[in-house]
Amino acid sequence: MLMTPLYALRRALLAGFRVEPVLHKSENCIGGERAAVQGTGGGPVRRKSELLQKSNPIYEKVPVLLHNGKPILESTNIVYYIDETFASPPLLPACSYGRSRARFWADFIDKKVFDGGAAIWRSKGDELELAKNEFIDILKKLEGALGDKDYLGGDKFGFLDIVLIGSSSWFPTYERIGGFKIEDECPKIGAWIKRCKGRESVAKTLPEPHKVCELVECSERCMELNE
Amino acid sequence: MATSAGVQLLGSWCSAFSNRVQLALKLKSVEYEFVEEVFYVNKSERLLNANPVYQKIPVLIHDEKPLCESLVIIEYIDEVWNGNGPSILPSDPYERAIARFWAGYMDNKTRLLSNIAKGKRFFGGEDVGYLDFALGCFLGWVKATEIIGGVKLLDESRTPGLAGWAERFRSHDVAKDIIPEAPKLLELIGYVQEAQ
C-alpha cells in the first residue's frame, strides 16, 4: 500500500528528551514542513528507556526516528531520510553541487558546533578561554557560509538552517559561561538566529533557553558531586 | 550524464580518505587528473584555497568547483555519474540511511565491524559499494600497523568474516593500484620521521 507522508508520519514515533538540540533538528523538519508528529516524551537524561536502548543499541542516544518499526539514527541522517522518503517539498538543493555543499556544511555543524559549545561549559580558567575562542571561530566559519544571504540555503529557510538552528537554544548558556555575545562576535549569525526564531515552526519546536541553562546547571552540580 | 572533463583530485597515494574518492572515481570510470599533495610536509596554496575550512585532502574539483570531505564527495560522484557503472549507495532510502550511519560510525570509532560483512561478499552485497570504500581505504595502513606491531588485526580465526572481506576487497579490480602496499607506507613513515 502506498502511504501518504501524513499517514506515514502518524505511524512514526519520535522518542527523546525535549532539551536535546539534535532532537529538534528532526522535529523542525517534520513539524515545520510536513506534519505533526507524536512525541513519546523521554525521561531525565540519565535514564534511557528500553525503547531507546532497543532502537539505538550502538550509541543509546536520541534522536531515533521509528518509521514502520525501522529505526533511523543520527539526526542529520534522519533529515536526509525524511527528504528522500517524502519528496515534497524538497529540503536539499536540486543541483548536485548545491547538495554537496549542503552536506559538507551539515557535516561541519555536526562535528563542530555541539562539541565546541560543550567544551565551554565543561571548562574552567585558561581552558575556558581557549574553548570560547574556538567556538567563536566555528561560528565565524559558518558566518562565511551564510554570507549576505537571509538563510544558509539562500532566500528560504531550508535544510542547513534546520541542521544548525536546533543548537541555538544552547547558545545563551555558552554566552553566559564564556562571557561573550554572539551578536557582537558574529553579527550575521546573531541576525540569522533572530530571523529563524521568527518562524512559527521554529518557535514552537525549540526549547526555551532558560530550560537549557537549568539542564547545564544540573549537570554541573552532578559533576561536582561525582568529583 | 556528466563528462569527465575538468575533474581534478587533490589527494595523496598514502591517504585513506583520498583512496576512498579514488575508489569511487574508478568504479564510475571517471577520468581525472590526480594531483599529489605532499600534505605531511607542507600544504600547498592550491589546497588551502580549495579547502579553506579544513585545509585537508581530499578535494575533488569538478568544473572548477571544489568539494571536500571524502564521504560527501563519494555521494556527489554517485549522483553526477549515476549512469556510469553500478550505484555506490543503495537506492532505498532506509538502506541509504543505514549505510550513512555505519560510514559515520567508521569515521568516529576504531572498532571493526565483522557482523556486517557476515554472509556477504562485500558490505555493498555482491559487489563493492559505499561502506566498502569507507572502510577498505584503511586496509593498507592496517597491514602496516600489523607489521610494526607484530600483531594480527584482521585474524581469520577471530574475525573470519572481516578477514575474508579484506582479502576480497584487496583483490578487487577497483582497489588494485589504489590501496597502498604496506612496505611503501612503512617507507613513508620512515621518511616522515626524518623530516621532523
Side-chain angles (χ1 to χ4, degrees), chain A residues 2 16 19 26 34 41 44 52 69 71 81 85 88 91 93 109 111 126 130 133 136 139 168 172 189 198 207 209 216:
Chain A
L2 183 67
V19 185
S26 310
R34 316 285 181 175
L52 175 61
Y81 174 81
T85 304
S88 179
L91 292 175
I109 291 164
K111 279 177 180 156
D126 290 343
L130 186 66
N133 290 335
I136 290 170
L139 290 187
S168 66
I189 290 289
V216 169

Side-chain angles (χ1 to χ4, degrees), chain B residues 75-92:
Chain B
E75 290 210 37
Y76 176 83
I77 291 168
D78 202 26
E79 280 183 24
V80 168
W81 286 281
N82 62 0
N84 289 20
S87 292
I88 299 174
L89 270 158
S91 54
D92 175 68

Side-chain angles (χ1 to χ4, degrees), chain A residues 88 104 158 163:
Chain A
S88 179
F104 170 82
V163 171

Side-chain angles (χ1 to χ4, degrees), chain A residues 58-59 70-71 73-74 77 80-81 84-85 96-97 99-101 103-105 107-108 111-112 141, chain B residues 51-54 65-69 72 75-76 79-80 93-94 96-97 100-102 105 108-109:
Chain A
I58 304 296
Y59 289 125
K70 290 193 267 191
L73 315 178
E74 300 293 284
N77 278 351
Y80 291 141
Y81 174 81
E84 287 170 3
T85 304
S96 295
Y97 185 72
R99 293 159 76 79
S100 280
R101 293 305 293 165
R103 288 187 186 119
F104 170 82
W105 283 111
D107 179 70
F108 177 85
K111 279 177 180 156
K112 300 286 190 183
K141 287 193 163 76
Chain B
N51 190 356
V53 175
Y54 289 121
K65 289 183 277 198
L67 298 112
C68 313
E69 293 300 287
V72 172
E75 290 210 37
Y76 176 83
E79 280 183 24
V80 168
Y94 181 69
R96 290 162 75 87
R100 286 180 181 128
F101 171 77
W102 284 114
Y105 182 88
N108 288 333
K109 305 287 183 185

